[in-house]
Amino acid sequence: MQQLREATTGICNVIPLTAENDFYLSSTMLMSGDALLVDSSTSALEYHRTPAHIARGNLDHYHIALCLAGEMGFSSGRRDVTLRPGDVCLLDMAQPNRTVLTAERGRSRTLVLILQLSLLAPKLAHPDSATAVLLPASHHHARLLASQLSALWEQVAPSAEALAATIEAMADIIAGVAGRAADTEGDVERAEHHLYRAMIKRYIAANLETPSLVADDLCRRFEISRASLYRLFEADGGLARYIQEQRLNRALRLLVSPRSRSNRLIDLALDLQFSSDSSFVRAFRRHFGITPGEVRELSETWLRETGAVPGPDDLLQLIARR
């Protein structure tokens, strides 16, 4: 506890709300582009940022906090909010504040995205008063943000460019709730589309072998209209095409995997929701210009000649040279 107090003395006062022997704190940090993501689990604890701490000017960031377990009470000036699991809140660390973390049993846990002032402040109509803005777990924007925070922690974003776009979209969503500047009027809708599309694509990737990837089921799950769903996937050639392409990409990975080499094509086709092995083979040939059987032959040849299991990219390079 003494080490924690010494480490945080310039940032805040740390006040444990349990006996010294019962105190617990675990915190893991991860850089995500220009932002920092912090996953913290703790026994009952209070953080107090006083005007003296603020005057030092060493923490002028915004926090987007997601409560995962227990409760998080946050107060700043006349604003006072309580976060419960699934709730999301915007916190301004440049303002004096008090945070209390409690749990009925066990520990509280929060996932916090720390954004630079320069990223979020220009999007806000009143940057100096945008704090303690609470999004309850039932709000669709809270679900969007919670989904993206979890994805950032799992490093789902495929590239630095995609990561930056996702963080920008999250900032736009928060600005839309907290009060956006007049010149960012269209940003929230674009951000919603970006985050919804990312969230639905993750769901699709995790459920390629289930029959539930149809428009009606997706609309119910994500509480959007069919027209909105279709618009989200216009750039991908449409929803049905996107899902089929992802299933074919999964099939390619399975075909080159040693663990799946003995699986019958009919089983692979049915697992990926094709009506028959012949319809699967036709779709696979249209997409890759080669049949599943030929992929297996190339994979076996590669393994014999190099002694290594080929990846999908290796085979696609071979296919391109044919």
Side-chain angles (χ1 to χ4, degrees), residues 3 15 37 51 65 72-73 90 94-95 108 134 158 163 190 193-194 204 208 220 236 239 243 263 273 280 289 303 311:
Q3 289 179 330
I15 306 165
L37 196 59
M72 175 181 176
L90 175 64
Q95 305 293 332
S108 68
L134 178 67
L163 185 60
R190 288 192 293 272
H193 287 180
H194 177 92
I204 289 171
L208 290 172
R220 281 194 295 272
D236 298 291
L239 176 66
I243 292 172
N263 291 359
Q273 303 303 307
F280 167 62
L303 182 60

Side-chain angles (χ1 to χ4, degrees), residues 15 19 26 47 62 64 72 95 136 146 155 158 178 182 211 257 264 267 280 282 285 288 300 308 316:
I15 306 165
S26 173
Y47 296 105
Y62 288 102
I64 300 176
M72 175 181 176
Q95 305 293 332
Q155 291 290 283
S257 170
R264 299 185 307 164
D267 294 329
F280 167 62
R282 285 195 300 271
R285 183 191 288 118
F288 293 112
E300 290 167 2
L316 291 175

